[in-house]
């Protein structure tokens, strides 16, 4: 028996705990983690080709023109996009992918013209427990200046209105709780009959 790869998409307002959750998942061999492209500058400690591919605006636009992206969007004033080829290759190989992208990107994947991509998609929204908690988490992170925090909070309000568009919603608690809930979703999705092929029957053996 084998199964096709699943395209897990995780969206959350920044500060909701998404990076921590993704980093925990990244430490396991369960997922192929896609590295996005962005036009924003690297934060302290971030590495090119590991955290993001850091591109100029001109290079990003050239890649849009070449059909390089599965989806791309403007978030907090910068461009972000998912390279399509790595995603397609991983799905064909039966690997599960984890994408950490915003609500606009998730929407673009839901309406992708390629049926293989749409059926592979499982999208999850990580909801901060309260707006006040989100603000506190953003401030504690201390990687952004005041203007950037304000912008992220206003984007968060807008993003949180879209939770109903997702297959699953996790109300964020502790890191351990979030990881457990996310794992429960990934486990169940891996056993879906529609994703499985019985090789014995498929080959007539
Ligand atoms: P940050 O700048 O804090 O790393 O990310 C800001 C936001 O951009 C996050 O909400 C993250 O999910 C989103 N993001 C990161 N990569 C991509 C991408 O490839 N596509 C889209 N649409 N959003 C992304």
């Amino acid at each position: 028996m084998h199964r096709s790869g699943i395209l897990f998409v995780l969206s959350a307002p920044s500060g909701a705990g998404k990076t921590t959750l993704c980093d925990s998942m990244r430490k396991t061999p369960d997922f192929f983690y896609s590295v996005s492209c962005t036009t924003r500058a690297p934060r302290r400690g971030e590495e090119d080709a590991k955290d993001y591919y850091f591109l100029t605006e001109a290079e990003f636009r050239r890649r849009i023109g070449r059909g390089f992206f599965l989806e791309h969007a403007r978030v907090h004033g910068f461009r972000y996009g998912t390279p399509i080829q790595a995603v397609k290759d991983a799905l064909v190989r039966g690997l599960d992918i984890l994408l950490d992208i915003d609500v606009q990107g998730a929407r673009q994947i839901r309406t992708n013209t390629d049926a293989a991509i749409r059926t592979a998609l499982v999208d999850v929204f990580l909801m901060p427990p309260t707006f006040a908690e989100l603000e506190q988490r953003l401030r504690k992170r201390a990687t952004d200046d005041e203007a950037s925090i304000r912008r992220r909070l206003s984007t968060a309000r807008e993003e949180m209105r879209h939770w109903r568009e997702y297959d699953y919603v996790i109300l964020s608690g502790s890191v351990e709780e979030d990881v457990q809930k996310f794992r429960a979703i990934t486990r169940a999705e891996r056993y879906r009959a529609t994703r499985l092929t019985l090789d014995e029957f498929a080959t007539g053996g």
Side-chain angles (χ1 to χ4, degrees):
M1 193 178 255
H2 73 262
R3 75 171 172 81
S4 50
I6 307 172
L7 180 55
F8 289 104
V9 164
L10 181 67
S11 298
S14 61
K18 184 179 43 171
T19 308
T20 319
L21 179 54
C22 283
D23 286 350
S24 304
M25 293 298 142
R26 215 173 181 175
K27 288 193 195 107
T28 71
D30 300 9
F31 298 100
F32 171 84
Y33 191 94
S34 156
V35 178
S36 292
C37 298
T38 184
T39 58
R40 83 150 163 77
R43 295 202 186 103
R44 197 174 313 136
E46 282 185 335
E47 284 176 44
D48 189 49
K50 181 173 167 280
D51 299 286
Y52 283 105
Y53 294 102
F54 295 99
L55 305 181
T56 61
E57 176 72 24
E59 178 57 24
F60 198 102
R61 272 201 258 143
R62 254 195 301 279
R63 293 191 190 197
I64 293 176
R66 292 209 316 260
F68 183 85
F69 295 115
L70 168 63
E71 59 72 40
H72 61 90
R74 227 177 237 288
V75 189
H76 316 308
F78 297 102
R79 290 185 191 271
Y80 293 82
T82 307
I84 192 166
Q85 201 53 53
V87 168
K88 281 193 163 169
D89 292 349
L91 287 179
V92 165
R93 288 166 58 205
L95 298 176
D96 295 340
I97 305 163
L98 179 56
L99 295 185
D100 157 3
I101 62 175
D102 86 313
V103 296
Q104 307 168 71
R107 194 177 303 131
Q108 286 172 39
I109 298 177
R110 268 179 228 128
T111 57
N112 195 283
T113 51
D114 185 343
I117 291 203
R118 288 200 312 273
T119 47
L121 175 67
V122 173
D123 50 10
V124 182
F125 192 85
L126 182 65
M127 190 75 147
T130 62
F131 202 73
E133 170 72 21
L134 181 72
E135 180 163 1
Q136 211 172 37
R137 287 185 192 182
L138 267 180
R139 293 194 181 281
K140 226 173 15 201
R141 197 160 78 169
T143 49
D144 303 297
D145 56 27
E146 183 60 29
S148 160
I149 289 174
R150 293 265 136 241
R151 195 163 55 231
R152 278 162 196 273
L153 281 172
S154 109
T155 308
R157 251 185 222 287
E158 165 56 29
E159 290 198 322
M160 281 155 69
R161 291 219 298 267
H162 295 280
W163 64 272
R164 270 199 189 281
E165 295 164 21
Y166 287 73
D167 294 321
Y168 296 96
V169 175
I170 295 175
L171 189 63
S172 179
S174 67
V175 177
E176 294 72 30
E177 283 165 348
D178 293 357
V179 167
Q180 250 181 33
K181 289 174 190 168
F182 190 72
R183 278 200 185 291
I185 294 168
T186 59
R187 286 214 183 97
E189 285 291 339
R190 285 173 176 150
Y191 296 114
R192 263 188 194 279
T194 49
R195 300 194 195 285
L196 301 174
T197 308
L198 268 182
D199 297 326
E200 206 182 332
F201 297 133
T203 58

